[in-house]
């Protein structure tokens, strides 16, 4: 093999390596890689946002359920309070005095409007 053959083979190898590097550089630019990273981050954020929205919807549903339960409990307490008031009035109407009740706790006092019962 002559020197010219070796030079040509060397140039062919350098040319092919240069072609591979050029193809790689043309295929995946830094900007394109950054764009791919941005796309990945956006997808993850959308997934996170969806989970936050789902969690918020669950919390709203639970808050509505609790508000309805509190409303029902308030109605039941009002009914009990009215019934107790009617019984006291009935006992007093019969000429008797109802027994003294236990003192009302301070925390409950703000919810009981008819303390004379």
């Amino acid at each position: 093999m002559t020197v010219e053959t070796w030079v040509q083979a060397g140039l062919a190898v350098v040319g092919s390596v240069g072609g591979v590097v050029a193809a790689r550089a043309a295929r995946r630019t830094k900007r394109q890689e950054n764009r791919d990273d941005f796309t990945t981050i956006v997808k993850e954020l959308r997934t996170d946002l969806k989970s936050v929205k789902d969690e918020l919807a669950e919390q709203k549903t639970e808050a509505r359920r609790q508000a309805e339960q509190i409303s029902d409990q308030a109605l039941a307490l009002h009914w009990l309070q009215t019934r107790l008031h009617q019984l006291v009035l009935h006992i007093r109407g019969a000429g008797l005095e109802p027994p003294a009740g236990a003192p009302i706790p301070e925390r409950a006092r703000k919810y009981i409007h008819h303390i004379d019962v």
Side-chain angles (χ1 to χ4, degrees):
M1 292 178 94
T2 66
V3 176
E4 290 179 8
T5 308
W6 284 105
V7 170
Q8 286 178 350
L11 287 175
V13 169
V14 169
S16 63
V17 169
V20 168
V21 170
R24 168 76 175 127
R27 192 179 127 253
R28 300 296 302 168
T29 64
K30 182 68 174 166
R31 184 173 177 192
Q32 192 173 16
E33 289 176 6
N34 289 341
R35 195 171 340 140
D36 290 345
D37 291 343
F38 178 77
T39 305
T40 302
I41 291 171
V42 167
K43 284 180 184 177
E44 289 177 15
L45 287 176
R46 284 185 179 148
T47 303
D48 291 345
L49 185 60
K50 184 180 181 310
S51 67
V52 168
K53 285 180 180 179
D54 292 344
E55 187 176 325
L56 181 62
E58 289 173 11
Q59 289 176 353
K60 284 182 179 180
T61 303
E62 180 65 19
R64 272 190 233 112
R65 187 192 65 76
Q66 289 177 354
E68 185 176 319
Q69 183 180 9
I70 289 170
S71 176
D72 293 347
Q73 290 170 346
L75 181 64
L77 288 173
H78 185 310
W79 183 85
L80 288 171
Q81 184 179 352
T82 303
R83 182 67 181 147
L84 178 64
H85 188 65
Q86 290 171 347
L87 289 173
V88 167
L89 290 177
H90 179 75
I91 291 172
R92 287 188 179 149
L96 302 171
E97 190 60 33
I104 300 172
E106 284 299 319
R107 288 177 57 194
R109 187 178 300 271
K110 62 183 172 183
Y111 299 109
I112 299 175
H113 303 291
H114 304 291
I115 296 180
D116 63 328
V117 173

